[in-house]
Amino acid sequence: MDRIRPSTISWGCGMEHGGKNEATSRLGIEHPIIQGPFGGGLSTAKLAATVSNLGGLGSFGAHMLQPGDIGRVANDIRALTSQPFAMNLWVSDHDAGGLDLDDATFEHGWRLFEPYFRELGVAKPERFERGHPSFDMQIEALLEARPPAFSFVFGIPSETILAECRRRGIATIGAATSIAEAQALDAAGVDLIVATGAEAGGHRPSFLAPAEESLMGTLTLVQLVSDRVKAPVIAAGGIVDARGIRAALALGAQAVQIGTAFLACEESGTTSAHRDVLFSERAQHTTLTRAFTGRLARGVRNRWTEEQRLAELPPFPITSWFLSKLRPAAIAAGRTDLVSLWSGQVAPNLRHRSAVALMQSLLSELPYNSLSPLPQEEETFA
């Protein structure tokens, strides 16, 4: 594979390199921009490498990969970049009852989803043994692959895993949706903390309280978390341009994680139909739903989110597994009414269809001085 050429983009003000703070130094990156990781085939090595080669931190959502594929993907990314990148896993790989697919649970799910299988001409699937790869096996493969950074959601890896990451020089990045989760990550010694607000697209990675009770907005969450943890904070949710980055940095973040804007780029693994929706008026109407996986996530409203709004869905990953059997046929038929269309609330402000153009825009609009965090008062909070 051809290697993507490194960045020569200027931050403006006559300076050729972005400023350094604790977050960028720990990650070994030039600019405080992290590409959000996407699971379920939406991440690509090309997207991660493009962002990394332009001075940010590219990411690959590996939570649906079998352990044997994790090292291969890491090698694919390394073939395209010599810069740092992150691989992302879900610490919690099932919800209560999600591994117990007995006959009754399977038949309940089948009765719920059967009309859609028939509509798309998809045969009844065979029962699975496990609907999501084992985190315990995935993390062994990830440690062996040794990506520069390991980001994770839905919990905190064990002390042993975090210690092994430190021993191998792997930076750790955990996600929080509340003060309590951020403090738990900080107490565990996680290197960087993503404060992810309710505006963000995709799954709500809550782990200490139900996701529906952890819906604080990004700007509020960033302020509260940055005042209460020692680790550098990364802001996520509602950021697609330099204005959002400046706002996050002014409120205490040392970097930002951008998801929807990168998902909409041609380098991502999503479909052209999904991209078209993100750049349409439909993107003005997002919703939080459990209808696609059994876990709460934000996407564009469609027939599926509305018809399953009150359904008694099987737990994760059973719902996700049933939908994975429908998704190929729905995509082939161009049925955006029956597939997940992950999107953050700020999607109507998307402007760029390539990761290169997006990064160029972000970097050209952010003067070097905007990287310097505002002076912090020497005040602590309980």
Coordinates of all heavy atoms in Angstrom, one line a residue, residues 55-137:
G55 N -1.0 15.1 11.5 CA -0.7 15.6 12.8 C -1.7 15.4 13.9 O -1.4 15.7 15.0
G56 N -2.8 14.7 13.6 CA -3.8 14.4 14.6 C -3.6 12.9 15.0 O -2.5 12.3 14.7
L57 N -4.5 12.4 15.7 CA -4.5 11.0 16.1 C -5.6 10.2 15.4 O -6.8 10.4 15.8 CB -4.7 10.8 17.7 CG -4.5 9.4 18.2 CD1 -3.0 9.0 18.2 CD2 -5.1 9.2 19.6
G58 N -5.3 9.4 14.5 CA -6.3 8.6 13.8 C -6.7 7.4 14.7 O -5.9 7.0 15.6
S59 N -7.9 6.9 14.6 CA -8.4 5.9 15.4 C -9.1 4.8 14.6 O -9.6 5.1 13.6 CB -9.4 6.4 16.5 OG -8.8 7.4 17.3
F60 N -9.1 3.6 15.1 CA -9.8 2.5 14.5 C -10.6 1.7 15.5 O -10.1 1.3 16.5 CB -8.8 1.5 13.9 CG -9.4 0.5 12.9 CD1 -9.3 0.6 11.6 CD2 -10.1 -0.6 13.4 CE1 -9.9 -0.2 10.7 CE2 -10.7 -1.5 12.6 CZ -10.6 -1.3 11.2
G61 N -11.9 1.7 15.3 CA -12.8 1.0 16.2 C -12.8 -0.5 16.0 O -13.3 -1.0 15.0
A62 N -12.1 -1.2 16.9 CA -11.8 -2.6 16.7 C -12.8 -3.5 17.5 O -12.5 -4.8 17.5 CB -10.4 -2.9 17.1
H63 N -13.8 -3.0 18.1 CA -14.6 -3.8 19.0 C -15.3 -5.0 18.4 O -15.6 -6.0 19.1 CB -15.6 -2.9 19.8 CG -16.9 -2.6 19.1 ND1 -18.0 -3.4 19.3 CD2 -17.2 -1.6 18.3 CE1 -19.0 -2.9 18.6 NE2 -18.5 -1.8 17.9
M64 N -15.6 -5.0 17.1 CA -16.2 -6.1 16.4 C -15.2 -7.0 15.7 O -15.6 -8.0 15.1 CB -17.3 -5.6 15.4 CG -18.5 -5.0 16.1 SD -19.4 -6.2 17.2 CE -19.9 -7.5 16.0
L65 N -13.9 -6.7 15.9 CA -12.9 -7.6 15.2 C -12.7 -8.8 16.1 O -12.7 -8.8 17.3 CB -11.6 -6.8 15.1 CG -11.6 -5.7 14.1 CD1 -10.1 -5.1 14.1 CD2 -12.0 -6.1 12.7
Q66 N -12.5 -9.9 15.4 CA -12.1 -11.1 16.1 C -10.6 -10.9 16.5 O -9.9 -10.2 15.9 CB -12.2 -12.4 15.2 CG -13.6 -12.8 14.9 CD -14.4 -13.1 16.1 OE1 -13.9 -13.7 17.1 NE2 -15.7 -12.8 16.1
P67 N -10.2 -11.5 17.6 CA -8.8 -11.2 18.1 C -7.8 -11.4 17.1 O -6.8 -10.6 17.0 CB -8.7 -12.2 19.3 CG -10.1 -12.4 19.8 CD -11.0 -12.3 18.6
G68 N -7.9 -12.4 16.2 CA -6.9 -12.7 15.2 C -6.8 -11.6 14.1 O -5.8 -11.6 13.4
D69 N -7.8 -10.7 14.0 CA -7.8 -9.7 13.0 C -7.2 -8.3 13.6 O -6.9 -7.4 12.8 CB -9.2 -9.4 12.5 CG -9.7 -10.5 11.7 OD1 -8.9 -11.2 11.0 OD2 -10.9 -10.8 11.7
I70 N -7.0 -8.2 14.9 CA -6.6 -7.0 15.4 C -5.1 -6.7 15.0 O -4.8 -5.5 14.6 CB -6.7 -7.0 17.0 CG1 -8.2 -6.9 17.3 CG2 -5.9 -5.8 17.6 CD1 -8.5 -7.0 18.8
G71 N -4.2 -7.6 15.1 CA -2.9 -7.4 14.7 C -2.8 -7.1 13.2 O -2.0 -6.2 12.8
R72 N -3.6 -7.7 12.4 CA -3.6 -7.4 10.9 C -4.0 -6.0 10.7 O -3.3 -5.3 9.8 CB -4.6 -8.4 10.2 CG -4.7 -8.1 8.7 CD -5.8 -8.9 8.1 NE -7.1 -8.8 8.8 CZ -7.9 -7.8 8.5 NH1 -7.6 -6.8 7.7 NH2 -9.1 -7.7 9.2
V73 N -5.0 -5.5 11.3 CA -5.4 -4.1 11.1 C -4.4 -3.2 11.6 O -4.1 -2.2 10.9 CB -6.8 -3.9 11.8 CG1 -7.1 -2.4 11.8 CG2 -7.9 -4.6 11.2
A74 N -3.7 -3.4 12.7 CA -2.7 -2.6 13.2 C -1.5 -2.5 12.2 O -1.0 -1.4 11.9 CB -2.1 -3.1 14.5
N75 N -1.2 -3.6 11.6 CA -0.2 -3.6 10.5 C -0.6 -2.9 9.3 O 0.2 -2.2 8.6 CB 0.2 -5.1 10.2 CG 0.9 -5.8 11.2 OD1 1.6 -5.2 12.1 ND2 0.9 -7.1 11.3
D76 N -1.9 -3.0 8.9 CA -2.4 -2.2 7.8 C -2.3 -0.7 8.0 O -1.9 0.0 7.1 CB -3.9 -2.5 7.6 CG -4.1 -3.9 7.0 OD1 -3.2 -4.5 6.5 OD2 -5.3 -4.4 7.0
I77 N -2.5 -0.3 9.3 CA -2.4 1.2 9.6 C -0.9 1.6 9.5 O -0.5 2.6 9.0 CB -3.0 1.5 10.9 CG1 -4.5 1.2 10.9 CG2 -2.8 3.0 11.3 CD1 -5.2 1.3 12.3
R78 N -0.1 0.7 10.1 CA 1.4 1.0 10.1 C 2.0 1.0 8.7 O 3.0 1.7 8.4 CB 2.1 0.0 10.9 CG 1.9 0.2 12.4 CD 2.8 -0.7 13.3 NE 2.8 -0.4 14.7 CZ 2.1 -1.1 15.6 NH1 1.5 -2.2 15.2 NH2 2.1 -0.8 16.8
A79 N 1.3 0.3 7.8 CA 1.8 0.4 6.4 C 1.5 1.7 5.7 O 2.1 2.1 4.7 CB 1.2 -0.7 5.6
L80 N 0.6 2.5 6.3 CA 0.2 3.8 5.7 C 0.8 5.0 6.5 O 0.7 6.1 6.0 CB -1.3 3.9 5.7 CG -2.0 2.9 4.7 CD1 -3.5 2.9 4.9 CD2 -1.6 3.3 3.3
T81 N 1.2 4.8 7.7 CA 1.7 5.9 8.6 C 2.7 5.4 9.6 O 2.7 4.3 10.1 CB 0.6 6.6 9.3 OG1 1.1 7.7 10.0 CG2 -0.1 5.7 10.3
S82 N 3.7 6.3 9.8 CA 4.7 6.0 10.9 C 4.3 6.8 12.2 O 5.0 6.8 13.1 CB 6.1 6.4 10.5 OG 6.1 7.8 10.1
Q83 N 3.2 7.5 12.1 CA 2.7 8.4 13.2 C 1.8 7.6 14.2 O 1.3 6.5 13.9 CB 2.0 9.6 12.7 CG 2.8 10.4 11.7 CD 4.1 10.9 12.3 OE1 4.1 11.5 13.4 NE2 5.2 10.6 11.6
P84 N 1.6 8.1 15.4 CA 0.8 7.5 16.4 C -0.6 7.3 15.9 O -1.2 8.2 15.2 CB 0.9 8.4 17.6 CG 2.2 9.1 17.5 CD 2.3 9.3 16.0
F85 N -1.3 6.2 16.4 CA -2.7 6.0 16.1 C -3.3 5.2 17.3 O -2.5 4.7 18.2 CB -2.9 5.2 14.8 CG -2.3 3.8 14.8 CD1 -3.1 2.7 15.3 CD2 -1.0 3.6 14.4 CE1 -2.5 1.5 15.3 CE2 -0.4 2.4 14.5 CZ -1.2 1.3 14.9
A86 N -4.6 5.2 17.4 CA -5.3 4.5 18.5 C -6.1 3.4 17.9 O -6.7 3.4 16.8 CB -6.1 5.5 19.3
M87 N -6.3 2.3 18.8 CA -7.2 1.3 18.5 C -8.2 1.2 19.7 O -7.8 1.4 20.8 CB -6.6 -0.1 18.3 CG -5.7 -0.1 17.1 SD -5.1 -1.8 16.6 CE -6.6 -2.4 15.8
N88 N -9.5 1.0 19.4 CA -10.5 1.2 20.4 C -11.3 -0.1 20.6 O -11.6 -0.8 19.7 CB -11.5 2.3 20.0 CG -12.7 2.4 21.0 OD1 -13.7 1.8 20.9 ND2 -12.5 3.4 21.8
L89 N -11.5 -0.5 21.9 CA -12.3 -1.7 22.3 C -13.4 -1.3 23.3 O -13.3 -0.2 23.9 CB -11.4 -2.7 22.9 CG -10.4 -3.4 22.0 CD1 -9.5 -4.4 22.8 CD2 -11.0 -4.1 20.8
W90 N -14.4 -2.2 23.3 CA -15.5 -2.0 24.4 C -15.1 -2.9 25.5 O -15.1 -4.1 25.4 CB -16.8 -2.4 23.8 CG -17.3 -1.4 22.7 CD1 -16.7 -0.5 22.1 CD2 -18.7 -1.4 22.2 NE1 -17.5 0.2 21.2 CE2 -18.7 -0.4 21.3 CE3 -19.8 -2.1 22.5 CZ2 -19.9 0.0 20.6 CZ3 -21.0 -1.8 21.8 CH2 -21.0 -0.8 20.9
V91 N -14.9 -2.3 26.7 CA -14.6 -3.1 27.9 C -15.7 -4.1 28.2 O -15.5 -5.2 28.6 CB -14.2 -2.2 29.1 CG1 -13.9 -3.0 30.3 CG2 -13.0 -1.3 28.7
S92 N -16.9 -3.6 28.2 CA -18.1 -4.4 28.5 C -18.6 -5.0 27.2 O -19.1 -4.2 26.3 CB -19.2 -3.6 29.2 OG -20.4 -4.3 29.2
D93 N -18.5 -6.3 27.0 CA -18.8 -6.9 25.7 C -20.2 -7.5 25.7 O -20.6 -8.1 24.7 CB -17.8 -7.9 25.2 CG -17.6 -9.0 26.3 OD1 -18.5 -9.3 27.0 OD2 -16.5 -9.6 26.3
H94 N -21.0 -7.3 26.7 CA -22.4 -7.8 26.7 C -23.1 -7.1 27.9 O -22.5 -6.7 28.9 CB -22.5 -9.3 26.8 CG -22.0 -9.8 28.1 ND1 -20.7 -10.1 28.4 CD2 -22.7 -10.2 29.2 CE1 -20.5 -10.6 29.6 NE2 -21.7 -10.7 30.1
D95 N -24.4 -7.0 27.8 CA -25.3 -6.5 28.9 C -25.9 -7.8 29.6 O -25.8 -8.9 29.1 CB -26.4 -5.6 28.4 CG -25.8 -4.3 27.9 OD1 -24.7 -3.9 28.3 OD2 -26.5 -3.6 27.1
A96 N -26.5 -7.5 30.7 CA -27.1 -8.6 31.4 C -28.1 -9.4 30.5 O -29.0 -8.8 29.9 CB -27.9 -8.1 32.6
G97 N -27.9 -10.7 30.4 CA -28.7 -11.6 29.6 C -28.2 -11.6 28.2 O -28.8 -12.4 27.4
G98 N -27.2 -10.9 27.8 CA -26.8 -10.8 26.4 C -26.0 -12.0 25.9 O -25.9 -12.2 24.7
L99 N -25.5 -12.8 26.8 CA -24.9 -14.0 26.5 C -25.8 -15.3 26.6 O -25.4 -16.4 26.2 CB -23.6 -14.2 27.3 CG -22.5 -13.2 27.1 CD1 -21.3 -13.6 27.9 CD2 -22.1 -13.1 25.6
D100 N -26.9 -15.0 27.1 CA -27.8 -16.2 27.4 C -28.9 -16.3 26.3 O -30.1 -16.0 26.6 CB -28.5 -16.0 28.8 CG -27.5 -15.8 29.9 OD1 -26.4 -16.4 29.8 OD2 -27.7 -15.0 30.8
L101 N -28.5 -16.7 25.2 CA -29.4 -16.8 24.0 C -30.0 -18.2 24.0 O -29.7 -19.0 23.2 CB -28.7 -16.5 22.7 CG -29.7 -16.4 21.5 CD1 -30.7 -15.2 21.7 CD2 -28.9 -16.1 20.2
D102 N -30.9 -18.4 25.0 CA -31.7 -19.7 25.0 C -32.8 -19.6 24.0 O -33.0 -18.6 23.3 CB -32.2 -19.9 26.4 CG -33.1 -18.8 26.9 OD1 -33.6 -18.0 26.1 OD2 -33.3 -18.7 28.1
D103 N -33.5 -20.7 23.9 CA -34.6 -20.8 22.8 C -35.6 -19.7 23.0 O -36.0 -19.1 22.0 CB -35.3 -22.2 22.9 CG -34.4 -23.3 22.4 OD1 -33.4 -23.0 21.7 OD2 -34.6 -24.5 22.8
A104 N -36.0 -19.4 24.2 CA -37.0 -18.4 24.5 C -36.6 -17.0 24.0 O -37.3 -16.3 23.4 CB -37.5 -18.4 25.9
T105 N -35.3 -16.7 24.4 CA -34.8 -15.4 24.0 C -34.6 -15.2 22.5 O -35.0 -14.2 21.9 CB -33.4 -15.1 24.7 OG1 -33.6 -15.3 26.1 CG2 -32.9 -13.7 24.5
F106 N -34.1 -16.3 21.9 CA -34.0 -16.3 20.4 C -35.3 -16.1 19.7 O -35.5 -15.3 18.8 CB -33.3 -17.5 20.0 CG -33.1 -17.6 18.5 CD1 -32.1 -16.9 17.8 CD2 -34.0 -18.4 17.7 CE1 -32.0 -17.0 16.5 CE2 -33.9 -18.4 16.3 CZ -32.8 -17.7 15.7
E107 N -36.3 -16.8 20.2 CA -37.6 -16.8 19.5 C -38.3 -15.4 19.8 O -39.0 -14.9 18.9 CB -38.5 -17.9 20.0 CG -38.1 -19.3 19.5 CD -38.1 -19.3 18.0 OE1 -38.9 -18.7 17.3 OE2 -37.2 -20.0 17.4
H108 N -38.1 -14.8 20.9 CA -38.6 -13.5 21.2 C -38.0 -12.5 20.2 O -38.7 -11.7 19.6 CB -38.3 -13.0 22.6 CG -38.5 -11.5 22.9 ND1 -39.8 -11.0 22.9 CD2 -37.6 -10.5 23.0 CE1 -39.6 -9.7 23.1 NE2 -38.3 -9.4 23.2
G109 N -36.7 -12.5 20.0 CA -36.0 -11.6 19.1 C -36.5 -11.9 17.7 O -36.7 -11.0 16.9
W110 N -36.6 -13.2 17.3 CA -37.1 -13.5 16.0 C -38.5 -13.0 15.7 O -38.7 -12.4 14.6 CB -37.0 -15.0 15.7 CG -37.6 -15.4 14.4 CD1 -38.7 -16.2 14.2 CD2 -37.2 -15.0 13.1 NE1 -39.0 -16.4 12.9 CE2 -38.0 -15.7 12.2 CE3 -36.1 -14.3 12.7 CZ2 -37.9 -15.5 10.8 CZ3 -36.0 -14.1 11.3 CH2 -36.8 -14.7 10.4
R111 N -39.4 -13.1 16.6 CA -40.8 -12.6 16.4 C -40.8 -11.1 16.2 O -41.6 -10.6 15.4 CB -41.6 -13.0 17.6 CG -42.0 -14.5 17.7 CD -43.2 -14.7 18.6 NE -42.8 -14.3 20.0 CZ -42.2 -15.1 20.9 NH1 -41.8 -16.3 20.6 NH2 -41.9 -14.6 22.1
L112 N -39.9 -10.4 16.9 CA -39.8 -9.0 16.9 C -39.3 -8.5 15.5 O -39.8 -7.6 14.9 CB -38.9 -8.4 18.0 CG -38.8 -6.9 18.1 CD1 -40.1 -6.3 18.4 CD2 -37.7 -6.6 19.2
F113 N -38.3 -9.2 15.0 CA -37.6 -8.8 13.8 C -38.1 -9.5 12.5 O -37.7 -9.1 11.4 CB -36.1 -8.9 13.9 CG -35.6 -8.1 15.1 CD1 -34.8 -8.7 16.1 CD2 -35.9 -6.8 15.2 CE1 -34.3 -8.0 17.1 CE2 -35.4 -6.0 16.3 CZ -34.6 -6.6 17.2
E114 N -38.8 -10.6 12.7 CA -39.2 -11.4 11.5 C -39.8 -10.6 10.4 O -39.5 -10.9 9.2 CB -40.1 -12.6 12.0 CG -40.6 -13.5 10.8 CD -41.5 -14.6 11.3 OE1 -42.0 -14.5 12.4 OE2 -41.8 -15.5 10.5
P115 N -40.8 -9.7 10.6 CA -41.4 -9.0 9.5 C -40.3 -8.3 8.6 O -40.5 -8.2 7.4 CB -42.3 -8.0 10.2 CG -42.6 -8.6 11.5 CD -41.4 -9.3 11.9
Y116 N -39.3 -7.8 9.2 CA -38.3 -7.1 8.4 C -37.4 -8.1 7.6 O -37.0 -7.8 6.5 CB -37.4 -6.2 9.4 CG -38.2 -5.2 10.2 CD1 -38.6 -5.5 11.5 CD2 -38.6 -4.0 9.6 CE1 -39.4 -4.6 12.2 CE2 -39.4 -3.1 10.4 CZ -39.8 -3.4 11.7 OH -40.5 -2.6 12.4
F117 N -37.1 -9.2 8.2 CA -36.4 -10.2 7.5 C -37.2 -10.7 6.3 O -36.6 -10.8 5.2 CB -36.2 -11.5 8.4 CG -34.9 -11.4 9.3 CD1 -35.0 -10.6 10.4 CD2 -33.8 -12.1 9.0 CE1 -33.8 -10.5 11.2 CE2 -32.7 -12.0 9.8 CZ -32.7 -11.2 10.9
R118 N -38.5 -10.8 6.5 CA -39.4 -11.2 5.3 C -39.4 -10.1 4.3 O -39.3 -10.4 3.1 CB -40.8 -11.6 5.8 CG -40.8 -12.8 6.7 CD -42.3 -13.2 7.0 NE -42.3 -14.4 7.9 CZ -42.2 -15.6 7.4 NH1 -42.0 -15.9 6.1 NH2 -42.3 -16.6 8.3
E119 N -39.5 -8.9 4.7 CA -39.6 -7.7 3.8 C -38.3 -7.7 2.9 O -38.4 -7.3 1.7 CB -39.8 -6.5 4.6 CG -39.9 -5.2 3.8 CD -40.1 -4.0 4.6 OE1 -40.7 -4.1 5.7 OE2 -39.8 -2.9 4.1
L120 N -37.2 -8.0 3.5 CA -35.9 -7.9 2.8 C -35.5 -9.2 2.1 O -34.5 -9.3 1.5 CB -34.8 -7.4 3.7 CG -34.9 -6.0 4.2 CD1 -33.9 -5.7 5.3 CD2 -34.7 -5.0 3.0
G121 N -36.3 -10.3 2.3 CA -36.0 -11.6 1.8 C -34.8 -12.3 2.4 O -34.1 -13.0 1.7
V122 N -34.7 -12.1 3.7 CA -33.5 -12.7 4.4 C -34.1 -13.8 5.2 O -35.1 -13.7 6.0 CB -32.9 -11.6 5.4 CG1 -31.7 -12.3 6.1 CG2 -32.4 -10.4 4.5
A123 N -33.4 -15.0 5.1 CA -33.8 -16.2 5.8 C -33.6 -16.1 7.3 O -32.7 -15.3 7.8 CB -33.1 -17.4 5.3
K124 N -34.3 -16.8 8.1 CA -34.1 -16.9 9.5 C -32.7 -17.3 9.9 O -32.3 -18.4 9.4 CB -35.2 -17.8 10.2 CG -35.1 -17.9 11.7 CD -36.2 -18.8 12.2 CE -36.2 -18.9 13.8 NZ -37.3 -19.7 14.3
P125 N -32.0 -16.6 10.7 CA -30.6 -17.0 11.0 C -30.5 -18.1 12.0 O -31.5 -18.3 12.8 CB -30.0 -15.7 11.6 CG -31.2 -15.0 12.2 CD -32.4 -15.3 11.3
E126 N -29.4 -18.8 12.0 CA -29.2 -19.8 13.1 C -28.8 -19.1 14.3 O -28.2 -18.0 14.3 CB -28.0 -20.7 12.6 CG -28.4 -21.6 11.4 CD -29.5 -22.6 11.6 OE1 -29.6 -23.1 12.8 OE2 -30.2 -22.9 10.7
R127 N -29.1 -19.7 15.5 CA -28.7 -19.1 16.8 C -27.1 -19.0 16.8 O -26.4 -19.9 16.3 CB -29.2 -20.0 17.9 CG -30.6 -19.8 18.3 CD -31.0 -20.7 19.4 NE -30.1 -20.8 20.5 CZ -30.2 -21.7 21.5 NH1 -31.2 -22.6 21.5 NH2 -29.4 -21.7 22.5
F128 N -26.7 -17.9 17.5 CA -25.2 -17.8 17.6 C -24.8 -18.3 19.0 O -25.6 -18.4 19.9 CB -24.8 -16.3 17.5 CG -25.4 -15.4 18.6 CD1 -24.7 -15.3 19.8 CD2 -26.5 -14.6 18.4 CE1 -25.1 -14.5 20.8 CE2 -26.9 -13.7 19.4 CZ -26.3 -13.7 20.6
E129 N -23.5 -18.6 19.1 CA -22.9 -18.9 20.4 C -22.5 -17.7 21.2 O -22.6 -17.7 22.4 CB -21.7 -19.9 20.2 CG -22.1 -21.2 19.6 CD -21.0 -22.2 19.6 OE1 -19.9 -21.8 20.1 OE2 -21.1 -23.3 19.0
R130 N -22.0 -16.7 20.5 CA -21.6 -15.5 21.1 C -21.7 -14.3 20.1 O -21.1 -14.4 19.1 CB -20.2 -15.5 21.7 CG -19.8 -14.3 22.5 CD -18.3 -14.4 22.9 NE -18.0 -13.2 23.7 CZ -18.0 -13.1 25.0 NH1 -18.3 -14.2 25.7 NH2 -17.7 -12.0 25.6
G131 N -22.5 -13.3 20.5 CA -22.8 -12.3 19.5 C -21.8 -11.2 19.4 O -21.9 -10.3 18.5
H132 N -20.8 -11.2 20.3 CA -19.8 -10.1 20.3 C -18.5 -10.8 20.7 O -18.4 -11.6 21.6 CB -20.1 -9.0 21.3 CG -19.2 -7.8 21.2 ND1 -18.0 -7.8 21.7 CD2 -19.4 -6.6 20.6 CE1 -17.4 -6.6 21.5 NE2 -18.3 -5.8 20.8
P133 N -17.4 -10.4 20.1 CA -16.1 -11.0 20.5 C -15.8 -10.7 21.9 O -16.2 -9.7 22.5 CB -15.1 -10.3 19.5 CG -15.9 -9.9 18.4 CD -17.2 -9.5 18.9
S134 N -15.0 -11.6 22.5 CA -14.7 -11.5 24.0 C -13.6 -10.4 24.2 O -12.5 -10.5 23.5 CB -14.1 -12.9 24.5 OG -13.4 -12.7 25.7
F135 N -13.9 -9.5 25.0 CA -12.9 -8.4 25.3 C -11.6 -9.0 25.9 O -10.5 -8.6 25.6 CB -13.5 -7.4 26.3 CG -12.5 -6.4 26.9 CD1 -12.0 -5.4 26.1 CD2 -11.9 -6.6 28.1 CE1 -11.1 -4.5 26.5 CE2 -11.0 -5.7 28.6 CZ -10.5 -4.7 27.8
D136 N -11.8 -10.0 26.7 CA -10.6 -10.6 27.3 C -9.6 -11.2 26.3 O -8.4 -11.1 26.4 CB -11.0 -11.8 28.3 CG -11.6 -11.2 29.6 OD1 -11.4 -10.0 29.9 OD2 -12.4 -12.0 30.2
M137 N -10.2 -11.7 25.2 CA -9.3 -12.3 24.1 C -8.9 -11.1 23.2 O -7.7 -11.1 22.7 CB -10.1 -13.3 23.3 CG -10.5 -14.5 24.1 SD -11.4 -15.8 23.2 CE -10.1 -16.3 22.0

